[in-house]
Amino acid sequence: MTVTKFIPYGRQSVNEDDIAAVVESLNSDYLTQGPKVHEFERQLADKVGADYALACNSATSALHLACLALGVSEGDSVWTSPNTFIASANCARYCGAEVDFVEIDQHSYNLCPEQLAKKLALAAREDKLPKVVIPVHFAGQPCDMAAIHQLSQQYGFAIIEDASHAIGAYYQDQPVGNCQYSDICVFSFHPVKIITSAEGGMAVTNDPELAQHMRTHGHQGTTKKPQELTQIPGDWYYEQQTLGYNYRMTELQAALGLSQLKRLDEFIARRHQQFDHYQQLLKGLPITLPKQKGDAKSSLHLYPILLPAQHATKRKGVFDALRQAGIGTQVHYIPVHSQPYYQALGFKLGDYPIAEDYYARTLSLPLFADLSYEEQVYTAQALSKALADNGVTL
Ligand SMILES: *Cc1c(COP(=O)(O)O)cnc(C)c1O
């Protein structure tokens, strides 16, 4: 079999309806701040079961607004997983807060609730409790939110779910995003994610004050709502009441996002089918396959495999061989605390051994809506050969 084109680890699926939606919005009166953004917010909130939604130009912006709304500032501490994209931690730094990390669970690769409990007990004694904890639903697999929520009640911190990977996922039969166990939940629509708006993100919440705070701060700190103004000299009037940002989403992005949202269920079903194919195609290889937890339905953003512990040094060889074969395997994630920026803040290699060991051995295989069965077979064959050529055995 010959598969000649490069197969990335993730990519968007854009169809004729998506294109027509964007063109229609280009021909409309509004390129930004029009009806599509509001419609996208309303439909996404409905889909995930949240009361309020704010569309942003990225999930990074949404995470920043979420931290601001929860009052994160200098002197505060925000905790997240080391196994995530840097944005989950950077949002706290934007607010001047300190970041700390909670070790991951070695089966789900998510922030481990037992480690969190231990770290909280210690922090309580030293009076260093976090203001906010940001669990990340890695690869689309929901974190153990009931446990994390219970700890938040006990220790009094707020929760932002970084659900950048997890739109369309379910936890205890409830959609991720209904904020049953969190204050705010954030989604990303970057093209490698489940649905896309090119760049874009959304923050959802059930709290009207948090929603209003995020909206104001994402719109230059301004408001036009009559009940919030100090005076109303005329219809032209708006007030800047605080310092905010321009984090708005455009109409073009919202039009694409809305059109993609219609395809969400189909995308998730497709990913589950592909997941099952991989589980079949790869069984018998000397690797650990990703697992799905019983109390949740993953959105399957990523398909991360692990080499055996004794073969961690061969990961680069396997990675290079797959790239040579035209397979855009990738590594998710370089532990955030190992980045030079965070090392300069005092974190050291060895601080989170499970996340570091996971990082040393992981590879993400291609997984996206338009990936064909033939490409999966090709990937499995190339992986099998790469493992054998590099001497990776059980
Ligand atoms: C992609 C991603 C982000 C950032 O999303 P953008 O929309 O690119 O800003 C944040 N957190 C995680 C876990 C991500 O994967």
Side-chain angles (χ1 to χ4, degrees), residues 58-60 63 84-85 87-88 136 162 164-165 188 190 193 200 333:
S58 72
T60 304
L63 285 166
T84 185
F85 184 58
S88 317
V136 181
D162 184 343
S164 292
H165 299 182
S188 171
H190 180 279
K193 307 290 163 69
Y333 282 98

Side-chain angles (χ1 to χ4, degrees), residues 175-189:
V176 167
N178 76 348
C179 296
Q180 189 187 347
Y181 295 115
S182 65
D183 297 278
I184 298 169
C185 178
V186 169
F187 299 106
S188 171
F189 312 125

Side-chain angles (χ1 to χ4, degrees), residues 80 82 101-105 110-112 115 351-356:
T80 188
F101 302 95
V102 182
E103 182 64 285
I104 63 169
D105 170 80
N110 275 332
L111 181 153
C112 172
Q115 299 269 6
D351 284 350
Y352 302 95
I354 301 175
E356 290 170 32

Side-chain angles (χ1 to χ4, degrees), residues 22-165:
V22 175
V23 170
E24 186 197 312
S25 105
L26 260 176
N27 283 315
S28 79
D29 290 336
Y30 299 95
L31 296 188
T32 192
Q33 287 185 283
K36 292 289 180 195
V37 170
H38 297 294
E39 186 62 14
F40 188 27
E41 289 173 340
R42 199 186 58 73
Q43 285 197 21
L44 188 132
D46 283 354
K47 182 82 188 171
V48 302
D51 290 340
Y52 306 94
L54 177 71
C56 294
N57 56 5
S58 72
T60 304
S61 305
L63 285 166
H64 183 195
L65 292 176
C67 284
L68 288 172
L70 290 166
V72 173
S73 64
E74 224 174 291
D76 291 328
S77 181
V78 173
W79 295 3
T80 188
S81 168
N83 182 34
T84 185
F85 184 58
I86 49 178
S88 317
N90 290 345
C91 55
R93 298 294 301 150
Y94 299 152
C95 304
E98 284 189 10
V99 169
D100 205 350
F101 302 95
V102 182
E103 182 64 285
I104 63 169
D105 170 80
Q106 58 183 320
H107 301 294
S108 68
Y109 320 138
N110 275 332
L111 181 153
C112 172
E114 285 87 39
Q115 299 269 6
L116 176 62
K118 272 194 222 161
K119 199 177 167 84
L120 286 165
L122 231 125
R125 266 180 262 143
E126 296 173 355
D127 203 19
K128 284 184 172 167
L129 285 168
K131 181 135 192 168
V132 174
V133 172
I134 307 182
V136 181
H137 304 311
F138 175 74
Q141 173 123 273
C143 292
D144 190 348
M145 291 308 298
I148 297 168
H149 181 255
Q150 206 197 331
L151 290 167
S152 79
Q153 300 294 298
Q154 190 181 341
Y155 289 99
F157 57 84
I159 299 175
I160 301 169
E161 292 173 79
D162 184 343
S164 292
H165 299 182

